Amino acid sequence: MLLPDWIQLFRNGFCVLRALAPRESALFKVHFPQSAYPLSAVDYAIVATQIPPVYYFGKGALSSLSSSSRNSDKYRNLLMELDQVHFEDFETQDGVGPETVTAVLRHGLTSELAQSKRQMKVGVSQGLIAVAFLFLSLNTLQIRFPSHPSPVVNAVISMLTGLSYLLYTMVLSLITRTKNVDSARRLRRSLKKSPNGNSPSEVVSLAYRSGYGEDLMEALTALTASKQDGSSTLNFQYKSSGTNYSDMVYNDLHTIRNALLALRDPAAGTCAADGAEETPQRVTRSRAKSSTAAQAVSSGVLVSLDARKREQIVSGLTTLAFFLLNFGAGYSYLMCVLAFYAPHESFGGDSIIGAAVSLLMFNQPSAVADWWGGLLGDLFWTIEPVLVLASPYLTKFLYKALGKNNHREKQD
């Protein structure tokens, strides 16, 4: 994504420079709305950086739509295959049996199916943004329709519509990551205080009650995460492009089972008898019977939880920064739409709608709000690619800062 980021940086940087030109002032636009003038070098530079987004947003839209349809079908088939799996040869060990591993895999497949459905809407949003850039590039070249500037304003509406759903997905991501951080923190405390030793079934039960209830796949990912960067270490076949759904489900169930059994601490005994499965929903009856385990869970599991928590915090902060920048840009560009279709000066002085629109424009004249909105929108979208390009360094800084506080949380 480096090339699109550089293109966005230069495009919006050039737009900021053009917005400061006298002919782009609010007063000039009011008196000469249909003005035409020779294209400057900045205009040609803007056009050169407005055309590529038409291609890569359009390509992204087609890719998102096709992958969404393909993946949705795949995950539906996998869920149906999961319902038909027979477990005669699936031995229950340490309370880990068919019901537990099936619940984990079902949560993972259900989450992926929901993500695939959202991906289709993301594709539509990308298509709307591609159309918007097409009209904006034509406007920069002064190739205008008879109803100008209406098509340009409508293109901005198209862009804002697509951007709105992308902002919505960012909000969902922030909510999910915040929940995962809280669940990881609660699970870590529960594991340290658990009297039942290192039973994998007990770990799953604690994860269920710690907030991972309907996302046990994320819980397993956190418990087995890379100790360096918190990324997933599990290799699931359902994420591949295969079509042998029966084998994929069978192999992934065994991957989950082996990962759960690997949570055991070799230094401690087990507390669930082989052949007696304890489900995530069932309160562990043996909780009151303290085992003689040396520690509640393997120290490596706690390290993985800490790493996953840091990864979710860093990803959440990055998502929050991009959300604020894109929300600021979207709101700024909205001024153009309001100034064209609903200038508050056109409403009566006592009109509630006029007062509301004026408030949205910070009580500025519509032409002034339009100019400032365009300038600030371009400025926000100039900062965004800078943040993208600097994200590797910012990520290292955040990991280092969070690592310094990790020892404090271990005392909780």
Side-chain angles (χ1 to χ4, degrees):
M1 284 296 293
L2 283 179
L3 181 58
D5 294 328
W6 281 108
I7 290 174
Q8 180 183 347
L9 174 62
F10 285 114
R11 179 183 68 246
N12 290 285
F14 290 140
C15 287
V16 169
L17 292 177
R18 187 182 64 176
L20 299 176
R23 70 188 187 196
E24 293 294 324
S25 68
L27 185 61
F28 185 91
K29 286 185 176 181
V30 168
H31 290 289
F32 306 99
Q34 300 284 346
S35 60
Y37 39 80
L39 295 178
S40 64
V42 173
D43 292 315
Y44 285 112
I46 291 174
V47 170
T49 52
Q50 279 179 330
I51 294 177
V54 178
Y55 166 74
Y56 60 73
F57 273 113
K59 181 181 178 181
L62 294 176
S63 176
S64 296
L65 290 172
S66 62
S67 64
S68 172
S69 176
R70 182 173 59 253
N71 289 335
S72 294
D73 290 339
K74 180 180 72 172
Y75 293 125
R76 288 193 191 96
N77 289 329
L78 286 170
L79 284 168
M80 288 189 292
E81 191 66 38
L82 183 61
D83 292 331
Q84 300 172 8
V85 171
H86 299 287
F87 297 100
E88 288 83 359
D89 60 340
F90 204 100
E91 178 184 0
T92 298
Q93 185 177 356
D94 281 348
V96 177
E99 190 173 347
T100 299
V101 296
T102 299
V104 176
L105 182 56
R106 188 178 302 279
H107 289 176
L109 294 175
T110 302
S111 176
E112 292 290 345
L113 178 58
Q115 178 64 29
S116 296
K117 292 179 179 179
R118 286 195 295 270
Q119 191 65 23
M120 179 173 293
K121 298 175 183 177
V122 169
V124 174
S125 301
Q126 291 174 316
L128 291 173
I129 295 175
V131 171
F133 273 109
L134 175 61
F135 278 88
L136 292 174
S137 60
L138 292 176
N139 178 65
T140 304
L141 289 172
Q142 299 185 26
I143 301 175
R144 296 170 175 173
F145 297 88
S147 57
H148 179 81
S150 179
V152 179
V153 179
N154 293 338
V156 175
I157 294 176
S158 174
M159 181 178 65
L160 293 179
T161 303
L163 179 62
S164 297
Y165 187 77
L166 298 181
L167 290 173
Y168 169 71
T169 61
M170 291 183 191
V171 171
L172 291 181
S173 176
L174 283 171
I175 293 174
T176 300
R177 295 184 188 283
T178 301
K179 176 179 174 294
N180 289 343
V181 170
D182 180 65
S183 297
R185 183 180 292 112
R186 292 169 59 187
L187 178 57
R188 190 184 195 283
R189 292 175 179 174
S190 298
L191 288 172
K192 292 191 69 174
K193 297 177 182 178
S194 173
N196 288 319
N198 65 328
S199 165
S201 62
E202 173 69 7
V203 175
V204 176
S205 183
L206 289 174
Y208 184 86
R209 291 191 291 271
S210 296
Y212 285 112
E214 297 304 319
D215 196 4
L216 289 176
M217 180 61 78
E218 170 59 29
L220 182 60
T221 300
L223 290 165
T224 59
S226 166
K227 297 174 178 58
Q228 283 71 38
D229 58 10
S231 60
S232 176
T233 60
L234 300 175
N235 184 21
F236 290 110
Q237 292 192 11
Y238 73 75
K239 295 184 178 181
S240 67
S241 58
T243 57
N244 192 336
Y245 301 130
S246 178
D247 287 349
M248 292 169 70
V249 168
Y250 183 83
N251 291 330
D252 286 344
L253 287 172
H254 278 274
T255 298
I256 293 171
R257 178 176 178 270
N258 294 335
L260 289 172
L261 294 177
L263 299 176
R264 293 176 296 186
D265 177 17
T270 62
C271 51
D274 290 353
E277 179 180 7
E278 298 176 6
T279 63
Q281 293 85 349
R282 187 180 304 152
V283 177
T284 309
R285 290 190 178 93
S286 61
R287 177 174 288 278
K289 301 178 181 179
S290 177
S291 75
T292 58
Q295 59 186 45
V297 74
S298 169
S299 59
V301 173
L302 299 180
V303 174
S304 292
L305 269 176
D306 289 334
R308 184 65 174 180
K309 184 176 63 176
R310 288 195 299 272
E311 187 273 336
Q312 292 288 288
I313 292 175
V314 171
S315 298
L317 290 174
T318 303
T319 301
L320 177 61
F322 287 127
F323 171 82
L324 293 175
L325 288 172
N326 282 277
F327 179 83
Y331 188 85
S332 298
Y333 290 132
L334 179 63
M335 298 301 103
C336 165
V337 179
L338 293 177
F340 182 76
Y341 282 115
H344 61 83
E345 294 89 349
S346 64
F347 298 94
D350 298 330
S351 171
I352 297 178
I353 297 178
V357 174
S358 178
L359 183 63
L360 290 173
M361 293 182 169
F362 299 98
N363 297 319
Q364 296 296 316
S366 296
V368 174
D370 178 19
W371 182 83
W372 275 107
L375 176 63
L376 292 177
D378 293 335
L379 185 60
F380 280 123
W381 273 0
T382 302
I383 297 174
E384 183 189 20
V386 174
L387 182 61
V388 172
L389 296 171
S391 59
Y393 308 100
L394 293 175
T395 298
K396 291 181 181 179
F397 171 79
L398 289 173
Y399 270 115
K400 186 176 181 180
L402 291 170
K404 291 181 179 178
N405 296 328
N406 190 43
H407 69 281
R408 186 183 308 168
E409 294 188 3
K410 291 182 179 179
Q411 303 301 323
D412 294 342

